[in-house]
Amino acid sequence: MRKKIIAGNWKMNKNLEEGLGLVSEISNMLKDEYSGSAKVVIIPPFLHVAASTKLVAENSRLATGAQNCSNHKSGAYTGEISADMIMSCGATYVIIGHSERRQYFNETNDWLAKKIDAVLEAGLTPIYCCGETLEERETNAHFTVLETQISEGLFHLNAEQMAQVVIAYEPVWAIGTGKTASTEQAQEIHAFIRGLIGKKYSSDLAEEITIQYGGSVKPDNAKELFSAPDIDGALIGGAALQSRSFVDIIKSMN
Ligand code: PGA
């Protein structure tokens, strides 16, 4: 049985006080309202990770993560945060290759492959993001783009390492736009990604990999998306900034 994982990516939002307030609310609401199977990962800005992790320590359903990390282990890289530092704060997940990092910080697949190695070496779980732009979809290039992102970012891993990876399919045209991929569109891509992993590794391994959908997931579309056989959770931006909407999305997952 593959893991169902719902993650909230706060991006560059919330000061420390607001952030910790939100973590507490989510934790309390989940205790009262949710008995389903999903693992829930809160991914605040770096500065809030340690304190957020302490707050969720008692709640085994909850984990924390970071939104990025360096590809280097340590050293003279001013402003960077290493995977070991994230680990030492008690977080267990790291988003790698979010489209905003690809777009605004020029992160390439080769660069991201190194970050994946750093995250796995530290014993953390990478959430590797992939997704096509609107233009790529409209010109029917999306399958090729996704295949390149997945193969260049991940396929240097051996099977044991690959089994540790979570993938998030996030069509760029759906992120923060209020436009969600239809369940059919998302399912088609998730099955395609699983097929790529099956071909490269094995169908058993492909069956075990958690593939999240991301891009304008909201309480009113989550249930339908989660009903698709290859959608194993979500990576949520905007709707993760409020406890009510985030918890309602989580409650859509049995
Ligand atoms: P969104 O963001 O839910 O606000 O569309 C998703 C993401 O960027 O992970």
Side-chain angles (χ1 to χ4, degrees), residues 9 11 98 100 170 174-177 214-218 235-239:
N9 169 18
K11 310 191 180 183
H98 190 280
E100 287 147 19
E170 298 206 298
I175 296 178
T177 58
S216 297
V217 177
K218 305 280 181 240
L235 182 56
I236 301 157

Side-chain angles (χ1 to χ4, degrees), residues 151-200:
S151 61
E152 292 185 358
L154 297 176
F155 281 179
H156 62 292
L157 301 176
N158 64 34
E160 201 184 314
Q161 292 168 321
M162 187 64 198
Q164 308 302 314
V165 174
V166 171
I167 293 174
Y169 167 56
E170 298 206 298
V172 179
W173 48 271
I175 296 178
T177 58
K179 244 197 218 173
T180 321
S182 68
T183 305
E184 293 70 33
Q185 283 173 322
Q187 167 58 29
E188 180 184 37
I189 300 295
H190 284 227
F192 172 71
I193 293 171
R194 215 179 287 290
L196 293 175
I197 297 165
K199 247 190 274 163
K200 171 73 185 173

